[in-house]
Each structure stands twice: as C-alpha cells, then as structure tokens.
Amino acid sequence: QVQLVESGGGLVQPGGSLRLSCAASGRIFRINVMGWYRQAPGKERELVAAITSGGSTNYADSVKGRFTISRDNAKNTVYLQMNSLKPEDTAVYLCNVDLIRDFKLYDCWGQGTQVTVSS
C-alpha cells in the first residue's frame, strides 16, 4: 500500500503565506511526477503546480510568481510554498503522485487539506 500524508493547510489572511507538505510512504520503486491540485466549492478540480523527478516545474497561470513547488526525493516529499495568498486561493488542496511499484504505474491522491484565505 502507498499512503500520501498531507499537512500545512489552515486559515490565513490575504497576503499571508502557507507551506503545504505531502509525504509518500510504502513500497515505492520510483516516483515520477508530484503535484498539487485544488478544488473549490462548485468548481472543477484544477492543477496548481507539478514537478518532475528531474525538477522541471509547471504552474497554473493564476499562481505563477506566488507559489513555488519543490520536492525532496530522498524523503518522497513534495512541498508547495504559497505566498501572497488571495481569497480566490481558498480550496481543498490535494497532493497527486505518479509512481511505480511492482512494475506498474499508479496515480495516487492524498486526502486533501483545506486552505482558507480570509480576513
């Protein structure tokens, strides 16, 4: 079994910062892409940021210049540093990991962590 454990969500005022973490554990051969998605009430799930095993990154236009994704391959952990947060960033943030175990490719999701930006 593979488990993704997320942490770091919470309530923050506009302009504030939060750092999300997602650690993958279990019998894993290799992790390829790690990413963060978010889903606000009544809206579709959207990609926020992703990072490959080689460190290449991709961001949604709405977060470019404010959010930074990074990963620690030794710890199988991905981070999302969120700065200059806006009320429209309020959503459940979900970690997504593409990994290989037992010679098969798996697409794994975390349970989600709530981020609320409000004064």
Side-chain angles (χ1 to χ4, degrees), residues 8-23:
L11 173 64
V12 64
Q13 292 186 342
S17 298
L18 283 174
R19 189 191 193 211
L20 305 182
S21 300
C22 173

Side-chain angles (χ1 to χ4, degrees), residues 5 7 9-10 38-39 86 96 98 102 115:
V5 178
S7 61
R38 67 186 180 187
Q39 188 162 19
K86 304 175 180 180
N96 176 255
D98 290 338
D102 298 331
V115 172

Side-chain angles (χ1 to χ4, degrees), residues 47-81:
L47 174 67
V48 176
I51 184 168
T52 69
S53 57
S56 297
T57 58
N58 183 40
Y59 294 93
D61 288 341
S62 60
V63 307
K64 284 181 180 177
R66 300 188 298 122
F67 291 9
T68 302
I69 190 169
S70 61
R71 63 190 281 173
D72 184 333
N73 291 329
K75 296 181 179 179
N76 288 340
T77 299
V78 61
Y79 306 96
L80 185 67
Q81 178 66 43

Side-chain angles (χ1 to χ4, degrees), residues 7-8 14 36 43-44 46 104 106 116-118:
S7 61
W36 290 95
K43 295 187 177 181
E44 293 186 355
E46 64 173 349
K104 296 179 181 178
Y106 291 87
T116 302
V117 185
S118 175

